[in-house]
Amino acid sequence: MSNTPASSPSSSPGPDLLPSLGHLTVPPQAVYALGAALLVLLAWLLLITGRYLIADRETRASIRQAFWIRRRWTRLAKAIGLVTTDRHPSLGQTLVIDGKRAPAPKFLVPSISTKCDQYGVKVTVHTVPGVGLAEFQKHAGHLAEAWGCTRVSVAVDKPGRLLLRAVRNEPLAQKTTLVPDGSMPTDLTVWNLGLDEYAMPAKLHMAEVPGMVVGGLPGKGKSALINGLISQLAPSGAVQFAVADGKVKEAHEGDYADIAERLFAFAGADLEEANALFQRLTQLRDARSKLIRQTLGVRGMWDVGPTPAWPLVVLVIDEAHTFFRDFKGSDPATKRLAGLAQDNARLVEELVKMGRNTGFLVILITQKPTGDAIPTAIRDVCSVALSFAQRSTEASVATLGENIRQWKDMDPSTMQHPDFVGVAVMAREGHEGFIRVRTPYVTATDTARIARATARLTTDPADLLTRSASDTTACEEAA
């Protein structure tokens, strides 16, 4: 019997293919999985580093800001009360607790994710019970201080999710100038307003909109807004403009003198002259209503959209309170003016309430659209409202409605600083709340240039309607 000891695995020839940790052998699958995980982590780190290196200086600052927002979020949320305390025991706690000792409370902290740009950080928040929109609005100032921002805006993204805009460089404070090129608008139902506070394009959908209210203090952007609208729409023969300007008496005066060639009708501050214009347009609306099915074959103009034969009629009523003023007095002259003002209100109310299907858009501009400036019967049926800087919250409410009281960071009365000239507040389309928009400055000279270049397109919609009705009748007789 041989006394030669048996060979052990460690003394066997050939390499040891399996790494070992002491007496523990690591399977190859675990090694491969660990290697793959390390490769994924390395790729992720390279991606993050690459994005940081190729970003501009301001975006890099936002990336660093976003890192610290995420890193310190749980502690900050607990410190300012943006958490919910859950004192109900979990299933595991109910199995181990003897019933005599209360379970330790749990803190439910809203989860967040971030996205950076050159202006700051967008923070998406998934809310928890008891911590929602109102709570984040209340603590917006605290968040701005903790995150090193000029401000933090809070808005509803979708149910159960909020969108916080942590602004380090205010996009609304960067004034822009637009030089219109006179190109044909591709879509007459969309009005490009400018950039919103998220530095994203802001658009206003004007299809099916019969009335629009624009309020704000003098010199805060109302005229530039209208210049921008006319410059965008004037190159299309499917839009015709009329103006009632309460600041002047004649068409060659005031803000609209340089675009008079592109207006098919104009009235100054004289109430009788304005009344004649409003009567003329209500008669056009009535005639269109009677002929629309016969001429267009549809119930409403927006079913087919405006055309050069049936254009959208845009009526701008600037300093609107001039035409609706409540005159007090018993002398014949005052009574006459009071009667004209009441009739003006009736005619404009008819245009706003009944002009949508036939292709009318009435834009009412005034500093403070209270009930004595624009009758509530008119103001409350205008489906779009924009407000530039106001002197008081009451003026903001008059323009935007009572809901603006719930969005204090959006109140136009907080935008009286010169940096906010040209910034308007409007309701968010499709979402709750409001949004601020930086409208570009369009000079009167550029607007006049566009008006002169497109003057050949100006025509009276009433003449077009008569011509269209005659052509339709001739076709029917020939058939």
Side-chain angles (χ1 to χ4, degrees):
M1 183 174 182
S2 174
N3 293 326
T4 304
S7 61
S8 64
S10 60
S11 62
S12 61
D16 187 358
L17 299 179
L18 297 179
S20 61
L21 184 61
H23 296 288
L24 178 64
T25 300
V26 181
Q29 295 84 351
V31 177
Y32 300 150
L34 179 61
L38 290 175
L39 287 175
V40 171
L41 177 61
L42 179 60
W44 178 76
L45 290 174
L46 289 174
L47 177 63
I48 296 298
T49 304
R51 286 180 176 177
Y52 182 83
L53 293 176
I54 65 175
D56 58 77
R57 179 180 178 182
E58 294 299 334
T59 304
R60 289 183 186 179
S62 297
I63 293 173
R64 296 192 298 270
Q65 181 185 26
F67 170 79
W68 289 114
I69 287 175
R70 296 191 304 269
R71 180 70 176 82
R72 299 167 177 169
W73 169 241
T74 299
R75 184 174 181 177
L76 175 62
K78 291 179 180 179
I80 63 177
L82 290 176
V83 296
T84 295
T85 303
D86 185 3
R87 301 185 183 279
H88 295 84
S90 64
L91 177 60
Q93 289 174 325
T94 58
L95 296 177
V96 300
I97 292 176
D98 56 8
K100 297 180 181 180
R101 184 177 55 186
K106 295 182 298 182
F107 291 102
L108 302 182
V109 181
S111 62
I112 65 171
S113 59
T114 59
K115 186 176 182 181
C116 306
D117 57 33
Q118 61 180 324
Y119 300 101
V121 182
K122 298 177 184 177
V123 183
T124 301
V125 179
H126 295 270
T127 60
V128 296
V131 182
L133 175 64
E135 288 72 27
F136 274 91
Q137 286 179 328
K138 178 182 177 181
H139 293 285
H142 298 149
L143 294 173
E145 292 176 359
W147 293 345
C149 305
T150 59
R151 63 179 175 84
V152 170
S153 297
V154 185
V156 176
D157 188 26
K158 59 178 60 176
R161 197 165 79 181
L162 302 178
L163 182 61
L164 277 59
R165 177 57 161 163
V167 176
R168 191 183 64 263
N169 294 324
E170 179 61 79
L172 298 178
Q174 299 186 14
K175 298 181 181 180
T176 58
T177 300
L178 175 66
V179 179
D181 58 5
S183 59
M184 177 76 70
T186 57
D187 188 353
L188 294 177
T189 67
V190 177
W191 179 8
N192 297 315
L193 287 179
L195 294 180
D196 64 18
E197 58 191 308
Y198 301 102
M200 298 296 292
K203 297 184 178 181
L204 191 62
H205 293 85
M206 300 303 295
E208 307 283 351
V209 173
M212 174 177 171
V213 175
V214 180
L217 294 171
K220 295 301 184 180
K222 300 189 298 296
S223 296
L225 179 78
I226 300 303
N227 284 343
L229 172 65
I230 293 175
S231 298
Q232 286 186 46
L233 300 182
S236 173
V239 184
Q240 298 297 332
F241 301 94
V243 169
D245 188 358
K247 301 190 298 292
V248 299
K249 292 185 177 180
E250 303 292 338
H252 65 272
E253 302 172 350
D255 296 336
Y256 301 93
D258 293 332
I259 63 170
E261 297 173 85
R262 192 60 179 89
L263 307 178
F264 76 88
F266 179 90
D270 182 83
L271 295 190
E272 189 169 2
E273 183 182 358
N275 187 259
L277 172 60
F278 299 152
Q279 286 190 25
R280 175 180 170 185
L281 293 178
T282 52
Q283 291 169 2
L284 172 62
R285 188 216 64 79
D286 186 60
R288 279 188 166 191
S289 181
K290 293 176 181 178
L291 295 173
I292 188 168
R293 290 182 181 273
Q294 174 187 346
T295 305
L296 299 182
V298 293
R299 184 179 60 179
M301 183 274 287
W302 290 108
D303 292 339
V304 294
T307 64
W310 191 294
L312 170 67
V313 178
V314 178
L315 169 62
V316 179
I317 307 179
D318 206 340
E319 298 296 330
H321 55 274
T322 303
F323 307 105
F324 311 128
R325 177 183 169 187
D326 186 13
F327 290 88
K328 303 292 184 181
S330 57
D331 59 285
T334 302
K335 287 183 177 180
R336 173 178 169 275
L337 292 174
L340 286 170
Q342 291 178 4
D343 197 44
N344 288 341
R346 177 186 64 84
L347 294 169
V348 173
E349 179 184 352
E350 179 181 328
L351 280 175
V352 175
K353 286 185 174 180
M354 305 172 67
R356 176 174 58 86
N357 283 344
T358 52
F360 284 81
L361 168 61
V362 180
I363 303 177
L364 299 116
I365 307 171
T366 189
Q367 295 180 27
K368 183 180 177 181
T370 52
D372 56 342
I374 300 177
T376 55
I378 299 174
R379 186 191 66 191
D380 293 347
V381 294
C382 291
S383 52
V384 173
L386 286 88
S387 179
F388 292 88
Q390 296 282 8
R391 196 174 303 280
S392 64
T393 298
E394 287 66 28
S396 303
V397 170
T399 309
L400 301 170
E402 286 289 338
N403 283 344
I404 193 62
R405 295 187 188 274
Q406 303 175 24
W407 302 81
K408 295 183 179 180
D409 57 332
M410 294 291 172
D411 190 338
S413 66
T414 65
M415 304 192 312
Q416 298 184 36
H417 191 277
D419 285 347
F420 289 102
V421 173
V423 176
V425 178
M426 58 180 269
R428 297 184 73 208
E429 292 187 339
H431 295 276
E432 184 181 358
F434 298 84
I435 196 166
R436 294 190 283 192
V437 179
R438 159 62 66 183
T439 60
Y441 179 67
V442 181
T443 66
T445 301
D446 284 329
T447 307
R449 171 175 54 81
I450 298 298
R452 288 193 299 270
T454 60
R456 69 187 188 283
L457 301 175
T458 306
T459 186
D460 190 334
D463 296 338
L464 294 173
L465 184 64
T466 302
R467 193 182 313 158
S468 179
S470 301
D471 293 343
T472 302
T473 301
C475 292
E476 291 176 349
E477 291 176 353

